[in-house]
Amino acid sequence: MSLSGCPHVAAFKKSKGTKPFRIIQAFFVSCSSVENVKRKARAGSCHVCQQCNQRLHACLTCVFFGCYTMGHIQDHARSTKHNLAVDMTHGTVFCVPCGDYVYDSEFEQISQEERLNCSKFHGSSVQGFSAWEATGYEIELLRRNPTRKKVSGSSTIGLRGLINLGNTCFMNCIVQALTHTPLLRDFFLSDKHHCENERSRDNCLVCEMTRVFQEFYSGIRSVHIPYRLLHLVWTHARHLAGYEQQDAHEFFIAALDVLHRHCKGHNGASGNNPNHCNCIIDQIFTGGLQSDVTCQACKGISTTVDPFWDISLDLGPSSSSNSAPLPVPIIVPTPLPDFSLDSNSSGSSTSSSSLHNGDSGLMSPPGFDDVPHSLDDCLRRFTRPEYLGSSAKIKCSVCQNYQESTKQLTMKTLPLVACFHLKRFEHSSRFRKKISTFISFPHELDMTPYMSTHRRANGLSHHPRSNRTTTSDNQYSLFAVVNHHGSLEAGHYTCYVRQHQDQWFKCDDALITKASVHDVLQSEGYLLFYHKRILEYE
Amino acid sequence: MQTTIMADYGDRKIKDAQMRASINQKLVETGEKERLKELLRNKLIESGWRDELKAHCKEVVRRKGLEHVTVDDLVAEITPKGRELVPDEVKRELLHRIRAFLAQQSNI
């Protein structure tokens, strides 16, 4: 096996060039026209035994197809001295005298081009997967740095304690969660950030995060001191400066915001549209939240979609907020005068009874006792329609009147990493307190029920269940949990992170200990980080 | 008696081969074969099959020495493992697709 071909290939190319190879590729390996496909289907069988599934090869010198397993192509080559044959499935070149497949860079190039044409012709949406090939520069780097590290299942690489620099556990726990976000790790470890501004490099949080990730995954096990990171956070998010206790969620959002702003410098082109940014933070954390405001008079729906980085979920009884859950009477008798204005009903036959059925099922599920006990409860509450109250009249975009309305939030698009913030700290004008009730959360989460497509189908159409598809696209896995211990006045943050699929560790500032899934799921979660299980091709 | 069974068996073998050839022709003609290949390739990559097999190949090449191994050697050595490692889910999906395709083809 050699990468530089063999003497037979060299001799062939000298006398006949690469044209015969290209013709065979285009006509019989990677067809890119209807006639070629038909011809391949008709003629693609062994000239000796007529079989078509015994590793068919085509002679590169004359028109002859023979199978490899039965030795027909080899027999042909020996009797005619036609040395080379092309595998008709994979397009590789077999040299009969050498007794092996040979690789020639020119041939490889041609076969790749034809394959591309072929996949275009067959209209595959994805360009398929192309393996990483080291460039000259990368080969040089690998040569100069001969040490290799193999990461095994029991490796502790990636686990590092962080020194508490004075009430900075709010930062440490978020750094732990971020460094264990697989997509973010891949981004930073592959040096994908190209800082534009040479001079302000010391001032760039993305550059600092790159350093932090490289520290974490360097294999060093001693404690890391994140003083530079803290300093940068202080300079860029002034409200977090000082040695006071801070909220981890606030820090998380501030960190994403600063990272997002510092990424912008080099993603220039996308900077002009604030809602569509291509930076790594937005690629990973941004989802789209759809808000449907339904006018109670004309049933017209106005829809807006806003980007979000996290979802904050209420834990208290919903009567404490001013938006009470919808009592049933609101949807009942009012006969709908204007069906034609209902932009979203699937047809004019929408009867009030079908609306009633759908809505009541959504709004007051039997046995739903107001205080959520699980992430599921929280999300259900988050995505149910809420009556905005008689004092909050909104101008309806359909009937142009100020009317009472209901509002429903749903997920239009899902982020790759979903962060849920359980609002355990309650600040109201009268009191401040921490809600310590246990909220259960799953290891694997299906977001399908909270999607806009699903909710709408469920609430408004006649066949609520018919188009329900349980795709694997909306499946998430838990990978980090931030916990708060103590009270509102004095507390401490720790973080559970997942490593190697199924190992969990508890990060308590400088201390890292092994934990079980059970420990994680029984903990008093404050921030829950879920990662999408299946990523689509770009 | 013996001979008629043999003849039947031979008959069936020929019929099977004809059937196989005409199915293959249909698959190629419609482009379904290319699509299936693409699907299979992606599924195997996604499931980690390709990486696992690649590691295994490297192991074989290292053991035998680059100059002393041919593609045929490699194929012979990794085929059993390769077959065994294909996830059931991938097999099921492919089978499902092929069945669905054949069900659409009335004239085979």
Side-chain angles (χ1 to χ4, degrees):
Chain A
M1 226 194 276
S2 126
L3 283 172
S4 44
C6 69
H8 310 99
V9 169
F12 179 86
K13 282 206 294 190
K14 206 169 170 195
S15 66
K16 298 207 165 64
T18 56
K19 195 141 187 241
F21 182 75
R22 189 184 281 279
I23 290 172
I24 291 179
Q25 284 291 331
F27 281 65
F28 292 107
V29 183
S30 313
C31 312
S32 46
S33 76
V34 182
E35 304 91 77
N36 290 356
V37 171
K38 287 234 167 87
R39 192 181 296 109
K40 181 179 177 176
R42 204 172 51 237
S45 61
C46 177
H47 287 188
V48 179
C49 67
Q50 272 74 50
Q51 291 194 86
C52 53
N53 53 358
Q54 301 294 327
R55 290 176 65 189
L56 209 55
H57 282 58
C59 177
L60 204 47
T61 316
C62 69
V63 179
F64 178 86
F65 301 155
C67 42
Y68 183 93
T69 339
M70 315 296 278
H72 296 142
I73 188 71
Q74 293 93 325
D75 293 347
H76 169 79
R78 277 184 211 106
S79 60
T80 55
K81 297 272 182 297
H82 295 165
N83 295 327
L84 305 176
V86 181
D87 181 314
M88 287 173 68
T89 309
H90 303 104
T92 43
V93 178
F94 186 76
C95 175
V96 179
C98 295
D100 200 3
Y101 288 87
V102 285
Y103 297 93
D104 177 86
S105 52
E106 254 180 292
F107 283 172
E108 291 285 295
Q109 178 74 34
I110 292 169
S111 121
Q112 232 169 48
E113 285 166 22
E114 294 301 332
R115 211 173 301 145
L116 198 69
N117 284 341
C118 169
S119 69
K120 265 186 211 149
F121 169 69
H122 284 294
S124 30
S125 51
V126 280
Q127 278 255 329
F129 174 87
S130 49
W132 171 67
E133 274 182 52
T135 61
Y137 171 69
E138 286 160 342
I139 290 169
E140 176 61 22
L141 274 182
L142 287 169
R143 208 177 52 76
R144 267 193 279 149
N145 302 283
T147 330
R148 303 278 179 272
K149 261 195 201 100
K150 193 162 182 181
V151 179
S152 67
S154 57
S155 154
T156 55
I157 198 163
L159 290 174
R160 267 190 98 169
L162 288 165
I163 289 279
N164 191 321
L165 298 165
N167 285 334
T168 56
C169 52
F170 70 90
M171 175 178 85
N172 289 353
C173 66
I174 296 299
V175 170
Q176 293 288 1
L178 290 179
T179 45
H180 288 87
T181 305
L183 283 171
L184 215 50
R185 176 198 61 202
D186 294 351
F187 175 84
F188 281 113
L189 290 187
S190 52
D191 263 336
K192 288 275 175 62
H193 171 62
H194 307 292
C195 203
E196 261 203 347
N197 207 333
E198 289 279 340
R199 268 169 304 158
S200 71
R201 194 163 279 186
D202 285 341
N203 211 7
C204 171
L205 190 64
V206 192
C207 289
E208 181 52 30
M209 275 313 266
T210 308
R211 277 189 286 264
V212 169
F213 270 84
Q214 284 168 358
E215 278 290 338
F216 262 77
Y217 290 91
S218 62
I220 301 171
R221 301 179 62 171
S222 59
V223 162
H224 179 65
I225 309 171
Y227 67 95
R228 293 174 58 120
L229 184 71
L230 184 66
H231 178 74
L232 275 176
V233 170
W234 282 6
T235 27
H236 292 293
R238 295 221 164 255
H239 60 290
L240 294 174
Y243 288 103
E244 276 164 46
Q245 295 193 21
Q246 300 288 351
D247 179 37
H249 174 249
E250 206 175 325
F251 174 79
F252 172 67
I253 294 301
L256 289 191
D257 181 52
V258 176
L259 286 169
H260 161 78
R261 276 191 278 130
H262 287 187
C263 278
K264 271 228 163 106
H266 62 92
N267 282 333
S270 52
N272 39 24
N273 183 355
N275 287 331
H276 188 77
C277 171
N278 224 5
C279 81
I280 186 69
I281 298 299
D282 274 311
Q283 278 183 37
I284 295 177
F285 293 98
T286 300
L289 192 62
Q290 177 169 328
S291 154
D292 293 316
V293 175
T294 311
C295 169
Q296 288 305 296
C298 74
K299 296 288 168 198
I301 300 175
S302 44
T303 299
T304 50
V305 178
D306 291 305
F308 70 88
W309 274 340
D310 70 320
I311 294 161
S312 290
L313 300 163
D314 281 313
L315 301 184
S318 49
S319 50
S320 70
S321 61
N322 53 4
S323 47
L326 265 186
V328 183
I330 294 201
I331 359 150
V332 205
T334 29
L336 309 171
D338 263 327
F339 284 124
S340 54
L341 288 175
D342 187 354
S343 59
N344 281 84
S345 74
S346 44
S348 55
S349 63
T350 318
S351 69
S352 56
S353 76
S354 80
L355 266 175
H356 177 87
N357 277 343
D359 283 355
S360 67
L362 272 179
M363 286 171 213
S364 44
F368 191 82
D369 66 350
D370 235 19
V371 181
H373 296 289
S374 65
L375 179 63
D376 216 43
D377 288 349
C378 293
L379 283 168
R380 226 173 343 195
R381 185 153 104 177
F382 185 76
T383 53
R384 82 183 153 178
E386 272 189 299
Y387 175 49
L388 294 176
S390 51
S391 54
K393 289 191 176 171
I394 292 177
K395 190 176 179 186
C396 170
S397 60
V398 180
C399 63
Q400 304 296 331
N401 285 322
Y402 284 88
Q403 296 293 353
E404 292 182 16
S405 32
T406 61
K407 179 174 145 184
Q408 184 177 23
L409 298 172
T410 47
M411 308 287 158
K412 174 83 174 169
T413 50
L414 293 170
L416 299 179
V417 168
C419 170
F420 299 106
H421 167 219
L422 303 179
K423 284 156 89 174
R424 294 194 175 276
F425 303 113
E426 229 181 358
H427 303 275
S428 75
S429 49
R430 285 173 295 128
F431 56 89
R432 300 169 66 213
K433 66 166 184 174
K434 182 184 172 190
I435 303 172
S436 293
T437 40
F438 173 69
I439 303 287
S440 69
F441 48 91
H443 191 243
E444 311 287 336
L445 175 69
D446 182 5
M447 287 295 283
T448 316
Y450 314 112
M451 299 291 290
S452 308
T453 44
H454 181 81
R455 268 291 189 246
R456 181 160 285 178
N458 233 355
L460 294 167
S461 86
H462 290 276
H463 310 286
R465 297 272 154 195
S466 61
N467 55 354
R468 207 182 71 154
T469 46
T470 36
T471 51
S472 47
D473 299 349
N474 306 326
Q475 305 294 321
Y476 284 76
S477 293
L478 188 70
F479 74 93
V481 175
V482 169
N483 302 107
H484 182 265
H485 314 268
S487 66
L488 201 65
E489 291 75 33
H492 182 52
Y493 284 111
T494 59
C495 181
Y496 286 108
V497 293
R498 198 182 71 183
Q499 283 256 99
H500 307 298
Q501 306 265 355
D502 55 354
Q503 297 173 30
W504 285 88
F505 293 91
K506 183 179 185 177
C507 308
D508 182 352
D509 286 335
L511 204 68
I512 293 186
T513 45
K514 204 155 172 48
S516 68
V517 191
H518 183 76
D519 297 339
V520 178
L521 296 181
Q522 288 305 309
S523 71
E524 189 189 301
Y526 177 50
L527 299 174
L528 313 173
F529 294 88
Y530 284 87
H531 207 291
K532 212 161 186 244
R533 286 173 63 95
I534 292 175
L535 306 178
E536 273 108 60
Y537 292 97
E538 294 266 277
Chain B
M1 195 62 193
Q2 189 82 28
T3 48
T4 50
I5 289 173
M6 287 299 282
D8 277 358
Y9 180 70
D11 240 28
R12 236 184 69 206
K13 231 178 145 183
I14 291 166
K15 273 201 180 128
D16 274 0
Q18 282 169 346
M19 183 58 123
R20 208 171 286 135
S22 75
I23 289 175
N24 184 61
Q25 194 169 344
K26 267 274 176 290
L27 284 170
V28 175
E29 216 171 65
T30 52
E32 183 69 5
K33 195 166 182 177
E34 285 301 320
R35 282 188 289 272
L36 287 173
K37 257 161 70 182
E38 177 108 13
L39 175 78
L40 179 62
R41 193 178 293 132
N42 284 339
K43 289 283 165 200
L44 289 177
I45 292 168
E46 283 164 9
S47 68
W49 180 88
R50 184 189 153 110
D51 287 338
E52 210 167 331
L53 216 64
K54 197 168 166 181
H56 191 56
C57 287
K58 276 186 173 164
E59 188 52 45
V60 174
V61 172
R62 203 168 291 138
R63 199 174 63 229
K64 294 195 164 183
L66 184 61
E67 298 308 316
H68 307 289
V69 64
T70 66
V71 173
D72 273 353
D73 297 342
L74 212 49
V75 168
E77 204 154 331
I78 63 161
T79 300
K81 185 147 188 164
R83 284 191 201 282
E84 179 192 318
L85 287 175
V86 177
D88 284 346
E89 230 181 280
V90 176
K91 287 186 200 169
R92 215 174 296 132
E93 187 169 350
L94 253 291
L95 188 66
H96 185 77
R97 279 278 299 259
I98 295 170
R99 273 225 183 95
F101 170 79
L102 291 180
Q104 285 173 4
Q105 307 294 319
S106 47
N107 53 342
I108 288 185

